[in-house]
């Protein structure tokens, strides 16, 4: 699976959009991009995934560049409950999730 | 609709003992994966079970073994416990769309916190 690179930490003001970047320059054509987050003392929570097209659900939007070498997770109106470690993972269906170190997002009141 | 449930939530063992952790997958899911998460680290893949067989395995010794039952629930067994086995053990379930997995997301339980004294 392709290696992903994320900034170690980010801050976001409450109520503003949080934009979390992820680089996956070696991603292959059949690898999806998945986003999970982990709030302290809980299991990882699935957020969204996509292959080529931008995706949106009730939690977030996923923007994937046309060359698929990077993506951005957007939380449109961050709340204090969105403070967590966010993981970007590239994988095929046959493989399992490889969690790196993620981005620690802190939402500031 | 119940999500992934794991038991127990916390467990304390001593070195050399054996432990069994249990996982019930989300309703409708048929594949169970286990992960180990040490303090301050991201989860690491241990193995995955599908159709009651171990389908994939990560870089973990044979002391780690598992089982999947006909109702898709699963157990993780660890023998000869070491201090380094202290971690949060996570179970994730998903729905396979073929013999070799699926792009459907895995859903996680909140884990079992195992402490080795």
């Amino acid at each position: 699976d392709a290696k992903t690179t994320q900034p170690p930490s980010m801050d976001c003001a409450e109520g503003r959009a949080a934009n979390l970047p992820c680089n996956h320059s070696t991603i292959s054509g059949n690898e999806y991009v998945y986003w999970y987050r982990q709030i302290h003392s809980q299991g990882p929570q699935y957020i969204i995934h996509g292959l080529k097209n931008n995706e949106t659900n009730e939690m977030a939007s996923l923007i994937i560049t046309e060359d698929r070498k990077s993506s951005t997770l957007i939380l449109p109106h961050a709340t204090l409950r969105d403070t967590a470690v966010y993981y970007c993972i590239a994988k095929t269906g046959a493989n399992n999730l490889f969690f790196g170190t993620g981005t620690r997002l802190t939402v500031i009141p | 609709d119940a999500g992934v449930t794991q038991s127990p939530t916390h467990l304390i063992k001593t070195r050399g003992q054996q432990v069994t952790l249990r996982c019930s997958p989300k309703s409708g899911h048929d594949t169970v994966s286990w992960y180990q998460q040490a303090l301050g680290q991201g989860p690491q893949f241990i193995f995955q079970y599908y159709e009651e067989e171990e389908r994939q395995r990560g870089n973990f010794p044979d002391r780690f073994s598992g089982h999947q039952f006909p109702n898709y629930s699963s157990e993780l067994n660890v023998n000869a416990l070491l201090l380094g086995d202290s971690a949060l053990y996570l179970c994730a379930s998903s729905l396979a769309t073929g013999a070799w997995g699926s792009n459907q997301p895995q859903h996680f339980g909140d884990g079992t916190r195992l402490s080795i004294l």
Side-chain angles (χ1 to χ4, degrees), chain B residues 17-97:
Chain B
Q17 285 189 312
Q18 177 266 343
V19 68
T20 297
L21 311 181
R22 296 176 175 81
C23 172
S24 293
K26 183 176 179 177
S27 177
H29 286 182
D30 58 8
T31 303
V32 173
S33 301
W34 286 91
Y35 293 79
Q36 179 195 66
Q37 186 173 23
L39 203 59
Q41 306 291 320
Q44 289 193 40
F45 172 67
I46 303 174
F47 44 54
Q48 182 182 79
Y49 277 83
Y50 172 70
E51 292 190 339
E52 302 180 47
E53 291 190 357
E54 183 182 292
R55 177 161 69 179
Q56 293 186 41
R57 189 177 184 93
N59 188 27
F60 279 80
D62 292 345
R63 297 187 297 109
F64 290 77
S65 63
H67 189 76
Q68 186 180 34
F69 299 94
N71 67 353
Y72 307 117
S73 66
S74 177
E75 289 182 349
L76 165 66
N77 300 292
V78 187
N79 294 324
L81 287 166
L82 304 173
L83 292 178
D85 295 332
S86 294
L88 179 67
Y89 288 85
L90 295 160
C91 170
S93 72
S94 56
L95 177 62
T97 56

Side-chain angles (χ1 to χ4, degrees), chain A residues 30-32 34 36 38 40-46 49 87 91-101 104, chain B residues 33 35 37 41-45 47-48 55-56 88 90 100-111 113:
Chain A
N30 62 345
E31 286 183 300
Y32 282 67
Y34 293 78
Y36 283 79
Q38 189 170 24
H40 184 60
S41 298
Q42 296 181 18
Q45 179 188 23
Y46 165 75
H49 74 292
Y87 296 98
K91 83 169 195 74
T92 65
N95 294 330
N96 275 280
L97 298 167
F98 177 80
F99 289 84
T101 53
R104 181 172 299 277
Chain B
S33 301
Y35 293 79
Q37 186 173 23
Q41 306 291 320
Q44 289 193 40
F45 172 67
F47 44 54
Q48 182 182 79
R55 177 161 69 179
Q56 293 186 41
L88 179 67
L90 295 160
W100 294 106
S102 164
N103 290 313
Q104 294 300 308
Q106 296 182 15
H107 292 266
F108 286 79
D110 283 335
R113 172 78 56 191

